[in-house]
Amino acid sequence: MSASIDRILSKAVDGGRLTPDEGVELFRSRDLLKLGRAAHAVCSRLHPEPYRTYNIDRNINYTNVCAAVCDFCSFYRKTGDADAYVLSREELYRKIEETIALGGDQVLMQGGMHPSLKLEWYEELLSDLRARFPAVNLHAFSPPELWHFHKLNKLPLREVLSRLKAAGLGSIPGGGGEILVDRVRKAITKNKALTDEWLEVMRVWHELGGRSSCTMMFGHVETDAERVEHLLRLRQLQDETSGFTAFICWTMQPGHRMTQQPEAGAFEYLRTQAISRLILDNVPNIQSSWVTQGAKIGQVALFYGANDMGSLMIEENVVASAGTVHYLTLEEIRRCIREAGWEPRQRDVYYRLIDPKPAPPPRAERALPVLA
């Protein structure tokens, strides 16, 4: 098996495209260091620059009301629940103002599949926020939410996305992807977009000129072959549209109806991210997932295919509701990058650097040693 793994890794490092069988073969390997070296080689080829990036944004869950039922989610509520909410406009303003004050340029707004809010409500929301905060990118609404808008309003998907884009939607997060295999989605979710529907939202959004991220949540009921199938579906769509800016993967946080599910740990996370970097040869950026793995593994992930530390994430509610919370300050993120040997640089959603170019480090004083 080792010779076969070596051949597959060499192929990926040299820029070759891996087949489905080769992807599954990599998942049979337990040689984490070998996988990491190959992923790092590919990442270094794609990103030879002397820096690694991060961004500053805030996750805002504008509502926790959701018509879907996901076995892993402890965040959603039904309409009549005592703690169900829809954030007021004033509360949204306050959260965005705080984000700007901390140097952020983006908010990630996701909610649930609210059963009664119509498309006009979202258009007014976006238009209002765009007018009030014109420099802030509205990275909002996961594909399952957008598919829900399309079904609830009985409007063509393209019209829904076009209207939201015109109202101020800047980019789409890759949330709600879990594993893009219907067997898996039907096993752990109900009333939620299936694989082709998730992909169709992204396809149409890209055709409209939009950009988005893509994700994978693993470590539940899926097989290794289904992880590979998920990655290949993303790679196939990227071949068609080139609309994905980045890929982020994370381990499922056991909770809610899946408390008996053993938690995938750092080994599985690093192994899966490394293989993802090798298979997704056309997705330019990979983010480290320190939110679920903590600072140390998030930093190590920069040597397992990631070229970005993700977001400062001023606020996070969904992962926190499952009981797993890691917080980093902005300086801690920068320190993680700096200690690993790169310059920390702030980026926007398109991975454009937006911080002032840092001054070069002071030249070391060169002087003859003083002999005592």
Side-chain angles (χ1 to χ4, degrees), residues 212-215 243-248 283-287 347 351:
S212 61
S213 56
C214 55
T215 62
F244 290 128
T245 56
F247 171 79
I248 313 104
V283 176
N285 302 290
I286 288 187
Q287 292 183 21
R347 63 162 176 85
Y351 284 77

Side-chain angles (χ1 to χ4, degrees), residues 20-50:
D21 288 343
E22 289 170 335
V24 173
E25 188 73 14
L26 290 183
F27 270 107
R28 291 178 182 150
S29 171
R30 312 302 293 179
D31 193 333
L32 183 61
L33 292 179
K34 190 174 283 186
L35 292 171
R37 279 196 297 270
H40 187 57
V42 171
C43 184
S44 298
R45 169 165 52 79
L46 297 173
H47 296 280
E49 54 269 14

Side-chain angles (χ1 to χ4, degrees), residues 343-363:
E343 299 171 21
R345 301 294 305 272
Q346 185 182 351
R347 63 162 176 85
D348 64 10
V349 72
Y350 304 106
Y351 284 77
R352 298 175 301 204
L353 300 179
I354 58 173
D355 56 353
K357 185 173 175 55
R363 295 182 60 182

Side-chain angles (χ1 to χ4, degrees), residues 61-66 75-87 114-115:
N61 299 109
Y62 61 91
T63 180
N64 62 350
V65 177
C66 188
F75 181 72
Y76 76 93
R77 296 291 183 273
K78 296 303 176 188
T79 306
D81 288 346
D83 52 353
Y85 72 82
V86 177
L87 291 182
H114 197 288

Side-chain angles (χ1 to χ4, degrees), residues 5 8 18-29 223-229 232 271 275 279:
I5 294 295
I8 296 169
L18 301 189
T19 67
D21 288 343
E22 289 170 335
V24 173
E25 188 73 14
L26 290 183
F27 270 107
R28 291 178 182 150
S29 171
T223 64
D224 289 346
E226 287 167 336
R227 289 187 200 180
V228 172
E229 183 175 343
L232 294 176
R271 188 170 77 111
I275 295 172
I279 292 177

Side-chain angles (χ1 to χ4, degrees), residues 163-176:
R163 285 172 57 175
L164 293 175
K165 190 169 189 282
L169 180 60
S171 52
I172 292 178

